[in-house]
Amino acid sequence: EISTAPYWKAQGNRVIEVANITSFLRMYRGADFGKTGYTRNAGSTLAAGAWRDGHRLFAVILNSPSREWDAIGLLDWAFTNYKWPA
């Protein structure tokens, strides 16, 4: 619920409002989480997951200037080509 919300208000001894800037969540059907990041060694990164037809896949993208599109391509390929056990 939190990872797919465009905005979230965390409440405790103070209130913090945060915005979800992970565009992958809005770009990919079935996406239910995405975490972006950056380090000098790994470059631009994205860990993402999606459900389709009762199956769940994950993609991890490292050092990519187009991390969202790379994840979309990888997940599309896997959902199309993987043969799920019966």
Side-chain angles (χ1 to χ4, degrees), residues 6-39:
Y7 300 97
W8 190 264
K9 188 182 291 187
Q11 298 183 28
N13 56 352
R14 63 187 177 128
V15 175
I16 301 172
E17 294 185 22
V18 294
N20 189 337
I21 61 169
T22 307
S23 58
F24 172 78
L25 296 171
R26 295 179 299 280
M27 295 169 66
Y28 196 71
R29 179 175 62 93
D32 65 344
F33 89 90
K35 172 64 179 99
T36 60
Y38 176 85
T39 67

Side-chain angles (χ1 to χ4, degrees), residues 18-72:
V18 294
N20 189 337
I21 61 169
T22 307
S23 58
F24 172 78
L25 296 171
R26 295 179 299 280
M27 295 169 66
Y28 196 71
R29 179 175 62 93
D32 65 344
F33 89 90
K35 172 64 179 99
T36 60
Y38 176 85
T39 67
R40 266 184 272 155
N41 289 337
S44 293
T45 64
L46 173 65
W51 285 92
R52 192 164 298 164
D53 300 324
H55 301 289
R56 180 168 189 55
L57 290 175
F58 300 94
V60 176
I61 307 298
L62 303 174
N63 196 26
S64 173
S66 57
R67 59 192 171 193
E68 289 84 1
W69 291 109
D70 288 345
I72 288 168

